[in-house]
Amino acid sequence: MQEIVEIGTGTSLAVETAGAGETLLLIQGMSGHGGMWGPALVDELARDFEVVTYDHRGIGESARADDPFSIAGLAADADGLLAALGRETAHVMGISMGGMVAQELVLRCPERIRTVTFGCTSPGGPGAFDAPGPGRVVEAISTRDPELATRVGFEVNVSAEFAARPGELDRFRATSLARRVPFPVVRQQSIACLEHDATDRLGDLRVPVAVVHGEEDQMILATEGERLAALVPGAELHLWPGVGHLFWWERPTETAAVVRELAARA
């Protein structure tokens, strides 16, 4: 059941929890919402963790986001959410933009974060966002054909094999459209991503880190996952052949296993 939580950054976030155990905070990506984690992954994780999902500011039932914000500002939201929930420590998984937020979160308060899984994301900096997918999505949106935009958005976010599975496009459409995702908020999220650069700071991390990336990712190239893992001392790298950007949709059980095994190292 969703609840609205007032946090210390002057905004409120729509939050859901499932399961019991050590807290695991899941941080969604650009244009994503908490429902896009999907029951397959959340149910698997809830066997071992108290899973906390939420909608970023401006998304779903979270408070409006009329002013510009940064990745660091979204990390302050995540930190404020943990504090408002009374969670002194947590495991974290962030994907895509959410992985950038997770980078800033663990750099901001390393004492609160037990482990971090960075999924399909980038440390930022020059050349970080040269993948072909975003351009295809923008071109599809510019046609003002919602069906084309949805189909292209699906195709660039999953592997070719997964895209061909019956019913998956319909599931993607229904899930992505289930909550309010205003275009001005997504545009500001994209600006925040382009401005993100943690390259020179990630060497300071001393918490257990896993990096997961699908080799068929068209939104953020797998080479960015490799670069991220190389920047973080002791990070373990999981490169999955035949998997796209939404790796947790394609392999929910394996994704949960990575998080679970990493938490055992904390």
Side-chain angles (χ1 to χ4, degrees):
M1 182 176 178
Q2 196 172 75
E3 63 174 322
I4 306 301
V5 177
E6 299 288 336
I7 63 174
T9 54
T11 190
S12 61
L13 301 176
V15 181
E16 294 173 276
T17 60
E22 296 176 348
T23 299
L24 169 63
L25 180 69
L26 301 184
I27 309 177
Q28 258 296 334
M30 189 175 76
S31 79
H33 55 71
M36 295 192 71
W37 291 109
L41 177 65
V42 172
D43 289 350
E44 183 71 27
L45 289 170
R47 292 167 44 199
D48 301 283
F49 301 97
E50 176 202 42
V51 181
V52 178
T53 62
Y54 69 100
D55 293 339
H56 289 293
R57 59 169 75 180
I59 303 295
E61 297 303 314
S62 292
R64 292 173 58 91
D66 297 321
D67 297 324
F69 54 82
S70 64
I71 296 296
L74 296 179
D77 287 351
D79 185 21
L81 174 59
L82 289 174
L85 294 175
R87 308 304 190 262
E88 295 184 0
T89 63
H91 303 277
V92 173
M93 180 167 74
I95 57 89
S96 198
M97 181 192 78
M100 302 172 208
V101 175
Q103 291 166 40
E104 292 292 346
L105 176 62
V106 69
L107 288 166
R108 171 190 175 95
C109 49
E111 72 286 349
R112 295 180 61 123
I113 309 306
R114 303 194 62 190
T115 66
V116 186
T117 301
F118 297 126
C120 59
T121 193
S122 166
F129 305 106
D130 290 342
R136 287 190 60 196
V137 172
V138 170
E139 182 179 353
I141 291 173
S142 70
T143 67
R144 299 183 183 276
D145 180 343
E147 180 57 33
L148 175 64
T150 299
R151 179 169 55 79
V152 170
F154 174 67
E155 290 174 353
V156 300
N157 271 287
V158 299
S159 66
E161 184 277 329
F162 191 84
R165 294 184 188 180
E168 291 297 348
L169 173 58
D170 292 338
R171 181 164 74 98
F172 176 82
R173 181 190 295 108
T175 303
S176 61
L177 297 178
R179 298 184 190 178
R180 178 180 64 96
V181 182
F183 178 72
V185 175
V186 177
R187 181 174 56 206
Q188 182 56 45
Q189 288 179 338
S190 70
I191 294 170
C193 289
L194 291 172
E195 293 175 346
H196 170 71
D197 189 352
T199 305
D200 295 336
R201 295 174 287 146
L202 290 169
D204 295 333
L205 294 187
R206 294 296 183 268
V207 303
V209 169
V211 177
V212 182
H213 220 114
E215 291 186 353
E216 287 193 22
D217 195 329
Q218 298 181 60
M219 297 299 289
I220 297 178
L221 297 176
T223 50
E224 286 301 297
E226 295 178 287
R227 186 164 72 95
L228 175 58
L231 289 169
V232 178
E236 57 183 56
L237 175 63
H238 302 264
L239 285 178
W240 289 346
V243 174
H245 193 61
L246 301 184
F247 66 90
W248 71 97
W249 276 48
E250 299 195 38
R251 296 191 180 177
T253 301
E254 293 91 333
T255 299
V258 170
V259 176
R260 186 181 299 116
E261 291 163 13
L262 186 67
R265 292 170 46 191

